[in-house]
Amino acid sequence: VANTTYTVNYLKNLVAQGPFSITTNASGVLTITGLSAGSYTTVTVTRLGCTSSPAGPFTLTDPSNPAAPTVGSNSPVCSGGTINLTASGSGSSFSWTGPNSFTSSAQNPSITSATTGMSGSYCATQTVNNCVSPQACTTVTVNQTPSFSIFGSSNPTTCGGSQGSITLSGLNNNANYSVTYTKTPGGGQGPFVITSTGTGELIINNLGAGSYSNFVVTLVSTGCVSSPVAGPVVLTDPTNPAAPTAGSN
């Protein structure tokens, strides 16, 4: 009957629901709203003490889960830099997890001051119509940025010669580094590719007298660049010899 209120009862997954008072529309249609996924049985309507025959079962299902988002990153990253994660898809919201209990609800989160311990798998899901997708993951590698100190130096052994050297320490063993520095007088020098020793020392050879500063090393295998080490390191020529003793007849 149109525009009439009925008492509605039913079972959801065999659990009794109701009674609910619901009014039909102008066409006499009674709509039960606000239902979630499940099996609905024994649906009855009652008016004036008279109850209908039960109807059902009716099975309601959630939409299919959305596809996993497409994820990516700016890996590899050098320590101290920023990890940028990206996710794309049709989701209204995103959820990220990762190493060191990392979580984020941003679609494209960033992690500053990266450390090597932040390397690993970062995974995201997207939510569409309250349905959560499977995870999609991207692997992030954080490489250590070189750090070093000036260990020592040796002066040229001849005046105007280039037998001087400067040793940097604290680097990886047996690794190739690109080295730049400033010489006064002379200006910017390099880059020069030099292989460190088995103890992580990097020896810059063939240096003449002068003031050396602003040392920067780049680990060739990763492209990670150190902060500059100012110095200066001053190399000097040997002391001029005394004038000879001259004589004649």
Side-chain angles (χ1 to χ4, degrees), residues 180-235:
T180 62
Y181 52 87
T182 300
K183 179 185 178 184
T184 304
Q189 308 292 309
F192 307 105
V193 175
I194 304 174
T195 302
S196 62
T197 67
T199 55
E201 294 180 347
L202 192 150
I203 303 171
I204 308 171
N205 287 312
N206 303 316
L207 301 179
S211 178
Y212 295 82
S213 60
N214 297 320
F215 297 88
V216 176
V217 302
T218 301
L219 182 58
V220 172
S221 62
T222 65
C224 292
V225 182
S226 73
S227 298
V229 173
V233 178
V234 177
L235 303 185

Side-chain angles (χ1 to χ4, degrees), residues 5 10 15 22 35 49 91 115 127 181 184 197 200 248:
T5 300
Y10 55 86
V15 177
I22 304 176
L35 302 179
T115 66
T127 299
Y181 52 87
T184 304
T197 67
S248 73

Side-chain angles (χ1 to χ4, degrees), residues 5-248:
T5 300
Y6 290 83
T7 300
V8 180
N9 291 272
Y10 55 86
L11 300 180
K12 177 187 177 184
N13 299 329
L14 302 180
V15 177
Q17 310 291 314
F20 305 103
S21 292
I22 304 176
T23 301
T24 58
N25 63 17
S27 300
V29 175
L30 186 151
T31 302
I32 307 172
T33 60
L35 302 179
S36 58
S39 177
Y40 294 82
T41 57
T42 318
V43 180
T44 62
V45 296
T46 300
R47 181 173 180 269
L48 301 177
C50 297
T51 301
S52 69
S53 299
F58 306 98
T59 301
L60 303 184
T61 58
D62 285 331
S64 299
N65 286 337
T70 300
V71 298
S73 74
N74 61 332
S75 178
V77 178
C78 298
S79 62
T82 298
I83 300 171
N84 295 318
L85 302 171
T86 60
S88 61
S90 58
S92 58
S93 64
F94 294 81
S95 178
W96 283 91
T97 60
N100 302 314
S101 301
F102 170 78
T103 61
S104 176
S105 59
Q107 181 174 351
N108 301 310
S110 294
I111 308 170
T112 59
S113 302
T115 66
T116 56
M118 294 177 182
S119 296
S121 185
Y122 289 78
C123 301
T125 61
Q126 63 176 334
T127 299
V128 179
N129 297 324
N130 288 326
C131 297
V132 180
S133 74
Q135 283 188 334
C137 299
T138 182
T139 299
V140 172
T141 299
V142 181
N143 294 310
Q144 182 64 49
T145 295
S147 177
F148 66 95
S149 60
I150 299 171
F151 180 72
S153 63
S154 62
N155 293 315
T157 57
T158 61
C159 292
S162 56
Q163 303 88 3
S165 67
I166 296 173
T167 300
L168 312 179
S169 63
L171 299 167
N172 294 348
N173 300 344
N174 304 309
N176 289 330
Y177 289 89
S178 177
V179 184
T180 62
Y181 52 87
T182 300
K183 179 185 178 184
T184 304
Q189 308 292 309
F192 307 105
V193 175
I194 304 174
T195 302
S196 62
T197 67
T199 55
E201 294 180 347
L202 192 150
I203 303 171
I204 308 171
N205 287 312
N206 303 316
L207 301 179
S211 178
Y212 295 82
S213 60
N214 297 320
F215 297 88
V216 176
V217 302
T218 301
L219 182 58
V220 172
S221 62
T222 65
C224 292
V225 182
S226 73
S227 298
V229 173
V233 178
V234 177
L235 303 185
T236 58
D237 282 335
T239 303
N240 289 332
T245 301
S248 73

